[in-house]
Amino acid sequence: MNTLEELALLTDGSVVTLRELGPRDVGTLLTLHRSLPIEDQYLRFFSTSPRQLEDFVRRMVSPEERRHVVIGAFLGERLLGAASYVLAGDGAEVALVVSHADQKHGVGTLLLEHLASLARGRGVRHFVADVLTINSRMLRVFTDMGLVSRIVPDGEVVHVDLGLEPDEHYLDTVAERELTADVASLAHVLRPASVAVVGASRSPGSVGNAVLRNLGGFTGDLYAVNPHATSVAHVTCYASVAELPEAPELAVLCVPAKAVPEVADQCGQRGVKALVVISSGVVADDLMEPVRRHGMRLVGPNCLGVSTSAPGVRMNATFAADGILPGDIGVATQSGGIAIAVLEELRRLGLGTSNLVSTGDKYDVSSNDLLMWWERDEQTRIVVLYLESFGNPRKFSRVARRVARRKPVLAIRSASSEAGQRAAASHTASTATPSATRDALFRQAGVIAVDGVPELTDVLTALSRQPLPRGRSVAVLSNAGGLGVLAADACVRQGLRMAALSDETGAALAKLVPATASVHNPVDTTAVVTGERFARCLDIVGADPAVDAVITVTVPTALGDPTGGVHPVDGKPVLAVRTGQTGRLAGEVPCYAEPARAAAVLARLAERAEWLARPDERPIVQVDLDSARSVVDGHAEGWLAPDEVVTLLRAFGLPVLGGMLTTTAASAIAAQRAYDAPVALKAVASGLLHKSRGGGVELGVRTADGVATAFRGFQQRFGDRLRGVFVQPMASGGRELLVGVVSDEKFGPLVVTGLGGVDTDLIDDRAARLAPLSTADADELVHGFRAAGKVIAEPDEAAVRDVLLRVAKLAELLPEVAELDINPLVVSESGCMVVDARVRVARAHPSDPFLRKLRTGR
């Protein structure tokens, strides 16, 4: 039974199908081998005439031969190449064959990536291969894979050993190959040489008519398909796609939903490379079947369309009204309505787009694809996203992080319903809401999250023309004292600081303003100052080394209007506030209608500057993975016993208080005597998760009689549910934290920290980040909840950070850990100590979110 079938891209953007081969593929596989030129046969088999080739191929794909696995890459019905492995111990011997005519297009590398992913999911740890020394192309394929390799020359043969565990270098190497292939394929969508509108109606009120009219400025060849018209909007019509004089590179489908699959098939047969399906209500499987079969890229269905403002293309294949201004902002949105709202706001502000892509139901092309396009596109300086769902959030995180290092990425937050969240069994799980997970993803990837189109355009206006601040110190310059105070208050609420102006700055200002003015921050010039003097005041304030950014607040009076004196300051952002006005002032200074909006924008700019400056170090955490695996692999789904939890956490170097799991009063008394100190007794009972709340904890028990009494009390309270009593020495005092993990099938593990102990239930104060954690991520967790500064002293930060990094590594390496709750983690002068912890394990479904493959439906 074949268990793998995916669509993926070659380096030239061609779509191929990768699938596991079986007995029905013997003939195709034989044809591939027999078509090899003599030189290729010698390099593959160490012989120019391989014997019993047919028997060899049959064994490779035989269902009885479970040691063999073969996957093939198909372009249409043609087999381009095949990669195989044969199990050998904890590894496998790997082999690769690619049609001579199809070499140098990345076929072999793509096959090996998928074979390695498949093998890894089946427990194979490394590949081995013997390659002839003269086979330089094959050796280069292996060495360029990016996997940790060991190459040993041995006469005419080279022994190759590839470790299959992916590291950062491998993931970066795969991402670079994916970037090249994705950009090549999206050129058919965003820079086509020819476009056909199928369903180009003569009715002015129809979508097809609007799309065709908007394409009037397209620089390439434009065609219309309408069997009932000879021309529409001065464009010649053809009765069907088959009758077009050439195969258009891109086809825009504006036909009824039921007709879409058939028209898509006709486009594929004609040689169309990509589709934009405007129509809504299309059945996914019916559309994706011809799209897959013909290897086309697809935008939509149920979308507004796509546009490109590049001078050599000028394509507006949307039904948006009023045209689209050219510019440097790339916009991708699932919602057509959001796309229209963004376009209207950008037009009002004089800003334009490099590309607009309405992904709609995103059966294929998604935000991940478009981010890769904009990573390479020099015209695009800012990226805007509106996502209602994530298809592959882990890949999104890596791609967005790369793009955000080069250009700002903004995302409009969509509503996140908590209704579907299951009843959380642990404190950590209750934190892992959809919005918390999404916000952690955005923050770590450097994505600027905004709430709604107005805030988006506020931030865009500043990002498009102003530099980022070097820090969070702000000066407010106003001719209206009350509004200046409001601006200062708004800055503080946003986490900005009011700069302490130097004496020199104050003295210089005093020479320009009346004696009644305030030369301290916020600076009040009074209402009598002229525009020219206000401009000089702005220069002085902006030149102060303590100032990272300036907010000006001006109002017109009968004595004059200093707004004309607002201008950019070299190297520092200037944001203007004038009541009732939003837009750009002369000199490209963004203007806002109220101080709170300007302060919010400045805070977003400061956050981006801080994100760009933070180190992206991934510390090495030493672990005893074999011991940890023995706990997880030997346990059925459910909550681990306390002693198993201790073993698991200690395997990752976590400081655990420990204890003894007892099943009788006598053994509990023996445990207390062994500690020779006051102990805590904790009931281990079916269904008892919150022990304190459920009456399952006795603290500070000092005597044997006390232990016996507590044990009997647990027996009476829990009856047959009681499986034992965990006896621990009492921990020394300290501040109590919660540290935990909850795993999400799509997003991966979410690491949470906040107040621990009884405060966990009383105060919802937590921070969350997605694993794997960088050192900077861990620092943000340490400082990320409101009470952090009061419960974590500066000398203790390193110990807490170390715990967070080790917990994150545990979650990363053990996907079976569905929930982990450390509560409390006691923090004291001597360090950190895990006093109580719970771990729930569940069956892990092997996945490879970074594998190069295309979406194939919703």
Side-chain angles (χ1 to χ4, degrees), residues 167-392:
D167 58 11
E168 287 298 309
H169 172 67
Y170 175 70
L171 295 180
D172 288 343
T173 304
V174 170
E176 185 63 29
R177 290 193 284 260
E178 183 173 39
L179 178 61
T180 299
D182 224 310
V183 168
S185 77
L186 287 182
H188 302 309
V189 175
L190 296 173
R191 290 189 179 167
S194 54
V195 176
V197 179
V198 185
S201 172
R202 288 174 294 188
S203 172
S206 69
V207 170
N209 184 276
V211 171
L212 188 62
R213 290 183 182 278
N214 279 343
L215 279 165
F218 178 54
T219 59
D221 297 324
L222 180 61
Y223 304 102
V225 175
N226 183 337
H228 308 295
T230 56
S231 70
V232 175
H234 307 294
V235 178
T236 302
C237 286
Y238 296 86
S240 67
V241 175
E243 295 182 26
L244 291 171
E246 65 169 328
E249 196 170 351
L250 174 69
V252 184
L253 275 54
C254 309
V255 299
K258 291 184 177 179
V260 167
E262 182 181 352
V263 173
D265 189 40
Q266 294 170 1
C267 289
Q269 293 180 36
R270 188 67 179 86
V272 171
K273 299 296 184 182
L275 303 176
V276 174
V277 178
I278 306 289
S279 316
S280 60
V282 180
V283 177
D285 289 345
D286 292 350
L287 172 57
M288 290 309 297
E289 193 281 324
V291 168
R292 292 190 196 102
R293 180 158 39 85
H294 296 295
M296 296 181 287
R297 297 307 307 264
L298 167 68
V299 175
N302 186 26
C303 70
L304 179 71
V306 302
S307 75
T308 295
S309 65
V313 183
R314 293 204 303 272
M315 176 187 70
N316 179 5
T318 75
F319 58 93
D322 302 326
I324 298 176
L325 291 180
D328 55 13
I329 301 171
V331 179
T333 167
Q334 283 184 255
S335 164
I338 294 290
I340 292 170
V342 170
L343 288 174
E344 289 180 349
E345 283 296 293
L346 293 180
R347 185 183 301 109
R348 182 179 64 80
L349 296 170
L351 301 174
T353 63
S354 54
N355 306 110
L356 168 73
V357 181
S358 169
T359 57
D361 294 336
K362 60 173 186 179
Y363 288 179
D364 174 22
V365 173
S366 70
S367 57
N368 290 357
D369 297 289
L370 295 165
L371 281 169
M372 285 186 270
W373 173 268
W374 288 319
E375 183 177 359
R376 287 273 179 92
D377 182 35
E378 295 301 326
Q379 182 187 351
T380 301
R381 292 181 56 249
I382 302 175
V383 173
V384 171
L385 307 172
Y386 173 73
L387 311 174
E388 294 174 350
S389 63
F390 289 92
N392 188 342

Side-chain angles (χ1 to χ4, degrees), residues 488-795:
D489 290 344
C491 287
V492 173
R493 285 196 300 272
Q494 290 290 339
L496 303 170
R497 296 184 300 273
M498 297 305 293
L501 301 180
S502 68
D503 293 341
E504 291 79 7
T505 297
L509 289 171
K511 295 178 181 179
L512 296 174
V513 296
T516 55
S518 170
V519 295
H520 302 291
N521 196 14
V523 177
D524 178 10
T525 65
T526 76
V528 301
V529 74
T530 65
E532 184 270 335
R533 291 212 168 197
F534 195 86
R536 290 169 64 187
C537 290
L538 177 55
D539 287 332
I540 292 169
V541 170
D544 193 308
V547 174
D548 298 316
V550 181
I551 293 179
T552 66
V553 185
T554 59
V555 294
T557 71
L559 301 176
D561 184 358
T563 303
V566 178
H567 62 272
V569 172
D570 187 35
K572 297 179 181 180
V574 176
L575 277 61
V577 176
R578 186 174 183 187
T579 305
Q581 179 175 326
T582 302
R584 286 208 308 272
L585 298 175
E588 303 300 305
V589 174
C591 183
Y592 302 95
E594 56 186 7
R597 291 175 68 172
V601 169
L602 191 54
R604 302 293 86 75
L605 299 188
E607 288 168 5
R608 171 158 175 76
E610 290 165 353
W611 184 84
L612 287 171
R614 75 177 198 161
D616 194 25
E617 298 172 355
R618 307 270 173 174
I620 298 174
V621 178
Q622 299 296 334
V623 303
D624 181 0
L625 191 56
D626 289 339
S627 295
R629 278 242 151 260
S630 67
V631 174
V632 173
D633 293 344
H635 197 283
E637 296 192 4
W639 295 94
L640 297 181
D643 55 332
E644 293 175 316
V645 172
V646 170
T647 301
L648 178 64
L649 298 186
R650 283 180 173 167
F652 280 84
L654 286 158
V656 186
L657 181 61
M660 299 183 189
L661 182 61
T662 64
T663 55
T664 65
S667 58
I669 291 170
Q672 186 271 333
R673 287 175 175 165
Y675 288 125
D676 192 24
V679 295
L681 279 73
K682 300 176 181 180
V684 181
S686 300
L688 179 65
L689 295 177
H690 302 290
K691 293 182 175 63
S692 296
R693 191 187 309 165
V697 177
E698 292 288 343
L699 300 177
V701 181
R702 297 174 177 274
T703 66
D705 288 343
V707 172
T709 299
F711 200 101
R712 287 193 298 270
F714 290 155
Q715 288 176 320
Q716 292 171 1
R717 187 171 298 123
F718 302 110
D720 293 342
R721 294 164 52 207
L722 187 71
R723 294 188 286 118
V725 174
F726 197 57
V727 182
Q728 290 180 292
M730 289 294 294
S732 57
R735 297 167 301 281
E736 296 184 340
L737 296 180
L738 163 74
V739 173
V741 170
V742 61
S743 187
D744 182 278
E745 186 175 345
K746 279 190 173 183
F747 286 81
L750 186 75
V751 182
V752 174
T753 188
L755 292 175
V758 295
D759 292 334
T760 296
D761 294 319
L762 298 176
I763 304 172
D764 183 16
D765 184 14
R766 296 166 195 164
R769 292 292 183 270
L770 288 160
L773 295 183
S774 66
T775 303
D777 294 328
D779 282 335
E780 290 182 355
L781 283 173
V782 170
H783 301 104
F785 57 101
R786 295 187 299 276
K790 297 179 180 179
V791 297
I792 304 177
E794 187 173 346

